[in-house]
């Protein structure tokens, strides 16, 4: 099911993090980001530097079908990864979204553990809930990817269970095989508390030191 024709790719701006519609102009930065260190990509497909151009073209082809809205993740002015909205679901008989997934996410090694992922996910969640008025946002990962599962829980995703042989595996050496997927969600009713908690954390980090 495609995104409604009225949905256009937004530019999302946050604290040191900016999400821009993925474009060829991001290729050089993403090529550098993808090669910093690949130790964390055991369960996630991330293009090699020489594959980034084709990767962007493939994401654009998916976007042309209406199934995907891809972004470059910009941190302090440089492209450090990618993410996307995907798999839109519409209310029966209405050209309006009730659910969407956040996925196709990867980050350069230097951006991992910095808060970039959390801030980017909250930008995407906020836009989905506050602009599109969706009722639900899905997030999923390889069930074996405990690092990714912990990251999803940090942004407020609630674990719903594991679906066996749910989607293709991206793990090296598992081409043509299926993986078990750990499923998470955030509901519209949960978003205000998640947003408030993140704002309090940001305020604490930005508060002047006492003494």
């Amino acid at each position: 099911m495609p995104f409604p024709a009225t949905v256009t790719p937004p530019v999302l701006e946050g604290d040191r993090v900016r999400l821009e519609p993925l474009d060829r102009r991001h290729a050089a930065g993403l090529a550098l980001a993808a090669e910093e260190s690949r130790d964390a990509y055991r369960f996630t497909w991330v293009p090699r530097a020489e594959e980034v151009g084709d990767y962007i073209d493939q994401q654009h082809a998916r976007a042309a079908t209406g199934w995907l809205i891809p972004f470059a993740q910009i941190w302090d002015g440089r492209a450090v990864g990618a993410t996307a909205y995907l798999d839109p679901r519409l209310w029966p008989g209405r050209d309006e979204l009730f659910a969407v997934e956040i996925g196709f996410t990867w980050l350069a090694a230097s951006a991992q553990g910095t808060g970039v992922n959390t801030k980017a996910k909250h930008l995407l969640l906020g836009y989905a809930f506050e602009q599109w008025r969706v009722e639900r946002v899905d997030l999923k990962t390889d069930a074996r990817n405990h690092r990714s599962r912990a990251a999803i829980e940090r942004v407020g995703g609630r674990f719903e269970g594991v679906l066996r042989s749910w989607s293709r595996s991206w793990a090296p050496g598992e081409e043509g095989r299926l993986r078990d997927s750990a499923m998470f969600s955030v509901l519209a009713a949960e978003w205000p508390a998640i947003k408030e908690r993140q704002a309090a954390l940001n305020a604490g980090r930005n508060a002047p030191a006492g003494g």
Side-chain angles (χ1 to χ4, degrees):
M1 183 176 294
F3 281 93
T6 54
V7 169
T8 56
V11 174
L12 304 178
E13 191 87 45
D15 178 22
R16 298 177 60 193
V17 176
R18 177 181 169 91
L19 300 181
E20 299 177 351
L22 184 65
D23 190 84
R24 275 277 185 166
R25 72 181 184 277
H26 300 119
L30 292 179
L32 291 174
E35 297 295 340
E36 286 185 0
S37 170
R38 299 183 65 86
D39 292 344
Y41 302 152
R42 182 181 173 192
F43 300 109
T44 304
W45 185 80
V46 176
R48 304 298 312 221
E50 65 273 14
E51 298 172 328
V52 165
D54 288 340
Y55 165 78
I56 293 173
D57 290 343
Q58 290 166 9
Q59 294 295 73
H60 283 179
R62 294 183 178 104
T65 71
W67 181 73
L68 180 83
I69 298 177
F71 297 90
Q73 300 194 73
I74 312 299
W75 180 39
D76 285 348
R78 65 187 181 100
V80 294
T83 190
Y85 288 122
L86 63 145
D87 194 18
R89 304 198 296 286
L90 306 184
W91 289 101
R94 292 157 55 184
D95 198 27
E96 299 174 21
L97 290 165
F98 77 84
V100 71
E101 182 177 340
I102 295 172
F104 278 102
T105 300
W106 63 273
L107 279 173
S110 62
Q112 295 171 23
T114 63
V116 170
N117 177 67
T118 299
K119 292 176 181 180
K121 288 288 196 304
H122 284 164
L123 287 173
L124 292 166
L125 288 167
Y127 195 85
F129 288 124
E130 296 169 13
Q131 302 300 319
W132 292 339
R133 301 295 181 183
V134 302
E135 291 295 327
R136 172 188 169 97
V137 173
D138 305 329
L139 304 102
K140 68 176 184 286
T141 189
D142 192 306
R144 300 165 294 181
N145 192 343
H146 297 291
R147 180 173 183 168
S148 178
R149 291 174 65 159
I152 292 172
E153 289 180 338
R154 280 196 298 273
V155 303
R158 182 172 296 186
F159 178 59
E160 296 183 322
V162 172
L163 296 182
R164 297 177 297 166
S165 296
W166 179 251
S167 56
R168 67 174 292 183
S169 175
W170 296 104
E174 294 186 0
E175 292 78 9
R177 294 172 55 185
L178 297 174
R179 74 178 195 190
D180 295 346
S181 291
M183 311 298 292
F184 297 80
S185 69
V186 179
L187 302 184
E190 299 164 346
W191 169 241
I194 293 171
K195 181 179 180 180
E196 183 177 353
R197 183 165 63 248
Q198 185 61 33
L201 288 172
N202 290 338
R205 293 189 192 104
N206 297 329

